[in-house]
Amino acid sequence: MCDEIVTISRACFRGCPQGSVVAPTIWNIYINPILERNNTSFYTQAFADDLALIISGRTARELEANTNIALAEIAQHLQEIKLSLSVHKCQALVFRSVSSRKFSKRNSTILNRKPTFKINNFSIKISDSLKILGIVLDNKLTWTAHISSLYSKILSLTSNFNRVIKSDWNMNRNILKIWYSTVIEKALLYGASIWSGALTKHHISQLHSFQRVFLLRFTRAYKTTSTNVLNVLTGIPPLHITAKAEFCKFQIWFGAHHLTIISLIIFLLTTTLTSEIFPLNRNP
């Protein structure tokens, strides 16, 4: 004890201390060597302690060989830094590119034979759909699995919404509308800037049925009331239109971001060429 300050020290031989302030920084330093191994054959993306591995191959055998080599390399490096890999939690998703479908007679989006991926002689489960960071990807890249998964969100959101409505029948409609737009709609349209660009008629009908549940609770109308009429009465646009708006805004932002970078590069090149052709006057 010095100047009434208690100091407690503890030796840490491996891992990161849970709940400490420096834990995220230490973990970034710890996991960074794995991310530096990215090359033309595979790409690794990390989010906290989850790793996503992206590998491509022209054929199924090439894909299988490249994946197993990359998995063995990553598993060996994790073992060197004394980290264990949960193989039973690992999942794989295999899909074909758009260009490769043209060479297929059936124009199939999936492979005829599923490849075999292994880590330390343990096989990795190859699923038809995979959930990562709240987004469900399917092997056909149709986003049908993700939109269907929104039904579970509706059950929890509807129960909370019903409790508030039943607790006070004179609650202000503006408050309910703000709650819908800030909580319910945002939860259903999570990642809409990505998946709403490929909506089909079936997806739109599903989103209509999802939104209809809340519109009926909001207006207390008869169940036979049309969904379009409920949208007009509440002033809430259809869910698929809001999702399309999110997709368009993301495309505008993405295009403007790249346009700014391209404009900056062109400006720098123009300035460099101008300086070389017409040297700037310098004072002797």
Side-chain angles (χ1 to χ4, degrees):
M1 180 178 295
C2 181
D3 297 331
E4 298 182 355
I5 297 177
V6 179
T7 303
I8 300 176
S9 60
R10 181 180 179 183
C12 184
F13 299 98
R14 62 178 179 178
C16 298
Q18 295 289 335
S20 64
V21 178
V22 296
T25 303
I26 296 176
W27 175 254
N28 291 336
I29 298 174
Y30 209 59
I31 204 69
N32 190 59
I34 296 180
L35 303 180
E36 291 180 346
R37 293 174 176 263
N38 291 337
N39 49 42
T40 56
S41 60
F42 68 89
Y43 177 80
T44 307
Q45 178 68 44
F47 183 82
D49 58 343
D50 294 331
L51 293 177
L53 183 63
I54 303 175
I55 303 176
S56 61
R58 294 185 178 182
T59 61
R61 292 183 179 180
E62 182 180 351
L63 176 64
E64 182 177 335
N66 294 341
T67 304
N68 288 327
I69 292 174
L71 290 175
E73 183 179 348
I74 293 176
Q76 181 180 0
H77 185 73
L78 289 175
Q79 188 176 4
E80 292 176 356
I81 59 178
K82 299 180 180 180
L83 286 178
S84 59
L85 187 64
S86 300
V87 183
H88 63 281
K89 293 183 179 180
C90 296
Q91 294 184 10
L93 182 67
V94 181
F95 54 87
R96 303 181 67 170
S97 62
V98 178
S99 59
S100 65
R101 298 175 200 170
K102 299 178 182 179
F103 299 98
S104 177
K105 296 181 180 180
R106 298 179 300 173
N107 194 21
S108 178
T109 57
I110 58 177
L111 300 177
N112 298 329
R113 180 187 67 85
K114 291 184 178 181
T116 303
F117 304 141
K118 291 185 177 182
I119 300 179
N120 299 329
N121 295 328
F122 290 97
S123 298
I124 298 177
K125 180 182 178 182
I126 299 179
S127 307
D128 295 333
S129 61
L130 176 65
K131 186 175 183 180
I132 177 171
L133 300 180
I135 301 294
V136 181
L137 304 175
D138 59 275
N139 56 359
K140 296 182 180 180
L141 297 179
T142 58
W143 303 107
T144 302
H146 176 75
I147 296 177
S148 300
S149 66
L150 298 178
Y151 182 74
S152 59
K153 287 186 178 180
I154 291 177
L155 296 178
S156 60
L157 294 173
T158 305
S159 60
N160 296 332
F161 196 69
N162 291 338
R163 292 175 186 174
V164 175
I165 292 178
K166 291 181 179 180
S167 62
D168 189 358
W169 292 94
N170 297 322
M171 179 170 288
N172 192 348
R173 283 175 168 265
N174 293 328
I175 297 177
L176 295 176
K177 193 172 182 179
I178 292 173
W179 186 11
Y180 169 82
S181 60
T182 56
V183 179
I184 299 174
E185 188 177 80
K186 296 299 181 182
L188 294 177
L189 297 183
Y190 172 73
S193 57
I194 300 174
W195 53 261
S196 60
L199 291 178
T200 61
K201 291 183 179 180
H202 178 65
H203 297 157
I204 293 175
S205 63
Q206 280 186 306
L207 294 177
H208 269 292
S209 62
F210 295 160
Q211 189 184 35
R212 179 180 175 82
V213 176
F214 299 102
L215 294 179
L216 289 174
R217 299 292 188 276
F218 182 73
T219 58
R220 300 186 180 90
Y222 291 106
K223 294 183 179 180
T224 56
T225 308
S226 172
T227 306
N228 295 329
V229 174
L230 294 175
N231 289 122
V232 174
L233 292 177
T234 57
I236 299 175
L239 201 59
H240 73 279
I241 294 180
T242 308
K244 284 282 188 180
E246 293 292 332
F247 177 76
C248 293
K249 287 191 293 184
F250 176 75
Q251 293 297 319
I252 294 172
W253 174 85
F254 187 76
H257 179 67
H258 281 262
L259 183 62
T260 304
I261 296 176
I262 294 173
S263 301
L264 179 60
I265 294 175
I266 294 175
F267 173 75
L268 293 176
L269 290 175
T270 306
T271 306
T272 304
L273 292 175
T274 305
S275 301
E276 292 179 355
I277 298 174
F278 304 101
L280 298 176
N281 295 328
R282 297 181 180 179
N283 294 329

